[in-house]
């Protein structure tokens, strides 16, 4: 197995471009995911640390949809039923948590887009359709009319909103189209406008958390969140905004979201180090040589860059296409686990929450998901869910 992995890696290490390497990567990725199905089993993975073993978190945790979403993409790309079989029951299992004490919040899009929504899109399953609508209703119910934002977490943070929600908007736009109900689009566009006007700074950098007075809607302050500080530039926050605004443009056709995505993308690309994989924060005080990378920011951004490339003219889009390919080729060559057959993840060097001292230099399931999503897009995948 290890010798086979070495031979495969020679093929993409010697390739002149991502396009040349892509068939070999896809072959290796299928073998890798087949092994992950056996290794992960019924676990709901989030983090794999130095031992290479994915953990098993509760189903109302925000990352519970990414593993089945990865499997649905593999099924759609290959037509192989074992991917569908492994993914099938996840939307039902996650839904069951909704009738129990739980901690669902703004991230229901991350949980039901890659489970219920894609399941219905690919199979026509009516229960999946119902679950997707329930999640969209839940998210719309978190909208604060006075402040024009989606509330982030629960507990006492009633006025907090976070840039991560940019990615969850797709479930609102999907519901608006699927059920011919513009209310969902109204909420999605209102929050997207707040992202454009409040979260994305003039230079294309992005705030992570904004605090509003939940009664008056008055903006209060920017909070550092998972970045280095209130005015820093957390790289995964950049990728959430980039990808989320590109998605919002795809659903709405409103060019202000396209231009916002481009502004964030241009800033993101200007900040990348030589190997095209971002550090955890683009404005942290420490020397760049000592900062951890975040491969999950890289994969989400790469997938978003491919959305931008699709949205623009071939000449203008080529800039973002080539950038995405450089990121993905670097990840493939330098940050993947091809030569570690017992490792349950695809990518290394993810950073979860550095300020809290949590999950630094680990594998993250959403990093793996967006890697597969981006590779699938390069191969022509069209059944977008985010």
């Amino acid at each position: 197995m290890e010798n086979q992995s070495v031979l495969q890696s020679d093929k993409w290490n010697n390739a002149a471009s991502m396009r040349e390497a892509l068939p070999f990567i896809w072959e290796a990725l299928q073998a890798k995911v087949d092994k992950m199905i056996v290794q992960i089993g019924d676990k709901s993975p989030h983090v794999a640390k130095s031992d290479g073993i994915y953990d098993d978190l509760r189903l109302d945790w925000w990352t519970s949809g990414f593993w089945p979403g990865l499997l649905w993409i593999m099924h759609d790309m290959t037509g192989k039923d074992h991917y569908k079989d492994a993914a099938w029951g996840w939307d039902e299992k996650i839904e069951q948590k909704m009738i129990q004490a739980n901690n669902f919040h703004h991230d229901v899009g991350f949980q039901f887009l890659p489970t219920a929504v894609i399941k219905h899109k690919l199979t026509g399953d009516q229960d999946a359709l119902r679950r997707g609508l329930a999640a969209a209703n839940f998210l719309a119910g978190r909208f604060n009319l006075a402040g024009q934002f989606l509330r982030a977490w629960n507990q006492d943070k009633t006025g907090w909103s976070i840039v991560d929600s940019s990615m969850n908007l797709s479930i609102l736009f999907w519901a608006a189209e699927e059920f011919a109900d513009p209310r969902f689009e109204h909420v999605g566009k209102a929050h997207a406008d707040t992202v454009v006007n409040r979260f994305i700074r003039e230079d294309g950098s992005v705030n992570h958390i904004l605090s509003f007075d939940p009664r008056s809607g008055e903006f209060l302050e920017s909070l550092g969140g998972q970045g280095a500080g209130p005015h820093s530039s957390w790289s995964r926050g950049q990728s959430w905004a980039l990808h989320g605004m590109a998605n919002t443009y795809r659903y709405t056709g409103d060019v202000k979201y396209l231009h916002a995505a481009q502004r964030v993308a241009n800033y993101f690309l200007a900040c990348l180090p030589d190997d095209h994989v971002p550090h955890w924060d683009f404005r942290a005080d420490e020397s760049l040589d000592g900062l951890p990378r975040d491969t999950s920011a890289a994969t989400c951004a790469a997938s978003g860059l491919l959305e931008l490339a699709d949205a623009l003219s071939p000449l203008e889009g080529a800039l973002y296409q080539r950038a995405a390919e450089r990121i993905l080729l670097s990840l493939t060559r330098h940050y993947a686990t091809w030569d570690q057959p017992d490792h349950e993840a695809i990518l290394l060097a993810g950073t979860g929450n550095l300020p809290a001292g949590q999950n630094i230099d680990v594998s993250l399931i959403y990093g793996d998901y967006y890697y597969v999503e981006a590779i699938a897009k390069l191969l022509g995948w069209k059944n977008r869910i985010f």
Side-chain angles (χ1 to χ4, degrees), residues 41-59:
D42 292 332
K43 292 192 297 185
S44 180
H46 174 207
V47 175
K49 297 185 178 180
S50 58
D51 62 1
I53 306 299
Y54 261 127
D55 57 2
D56 181 15
L57 291 191
R58 64 183 195 264
L59 290 171

Side-chain angles (χ1 to χ4, degrees), residues 97-278:
K97 289 296 294 182
M98 282 197 151
I99 59 174
Q100 305 169 16
N102 63 64
N103 192 38
F104 287 106
H105 45 64
H106 68 104
D107 278 332
V108 290
F110 281 137
Q111 292 162 308
F112 285 92
L113 281 164
T115 56
V117 172
I118 192 170
K119 180 180 179 178
H120 174 259
K121 182 175 285 193
L122 298 183
T123 72
D125 185 81
Q126 291 300 298
D127 282 329
L129 179 67
R130 173 181 56 76
R131 292 171 188 131
L133 175 60
N137 271 316
F138 180 91
L139 183 59
R142 300 183 70 84
F143 185 67
N144 183 297
L145 184 62
Q148 297 288 285
F149 66 87
L150 289 168
R151 176 184 173 181
W153 298 293
N154 300 324
Q155 292 81 43
D156 58 344
K157 302 176 178 66
T158 54
W160 283 21
S161 187
I162 65 175
V163 75
D164 315 38
S165 293
S166 305
M167 292 296 293
N168 290 291
L169 297 179
S170 292
I171 201 165
L172 298 175
F173 296 125
W174 164 81
E177 290 182 354
E178 188 70 34
F179 298 97
D181 189 339
R183 294 176 305 151
F184 294 105
E185 182 180 3
H186 296 161
V187 172
K189 290 182 71 172
H191 181 82
D193 288 346
T194 298
V195 173
V196 172
N197 297 326
R198 288 286 190 182
F199 280 92
I200 300 174
R201 305 180 186 119
E202 186 175 353
D203 66 354
S205 64
V206 171
N207 294 295
H208 182 201
I209 301 174
L210 297 182
S211 176
F212 299 84
D213 183 308
R215 291 192 178 276
S216 70
E218 177 188 3
F219 171 69
L220 299 177
E221 61 180 333
S222 173
L223 303 167
Q226 288 171 242
H231 307 293
S232 71
S233 178
W234 177 49
S235 62
R236 192 162 66 251
Q238 299 291 144
S239 72
W240 293 143
L242 188 171
H243 200 331
M245 290 301 96
N247 292 348
T248 299
Y249 170 72
R250 188 179 77 244
Y251 278 106
T252 67
D254 192 326
V255 294
K256 68 182 171 186
Y257 304 125
L258 177 64
H259 293 160
Q262 286 182 275
R263 195 159 84 245
V264 177
N266 294 343
Y267 175 89
F268 185 95
L269 295 176
C271 292
L272 289 179
D274 289 343
D275 74 347
H276 312 294
V277 176

Side-chain angles (χ1 to χ4, degrees), residues 319-341:
L319 165 71
Y320 301 110
Q321 176 87 21
R322 290 193 300 267
E325 291 179 2
R326 287 194 297 269
I327 292 168
L328 292 166
L329 190 56
S330 181
L331 290 168
T332 301
R333 287 172 169 171
H334 306 302
Y335 293 88
T337 63
W338 311 117
D339 61 347
Q340 302 178 50

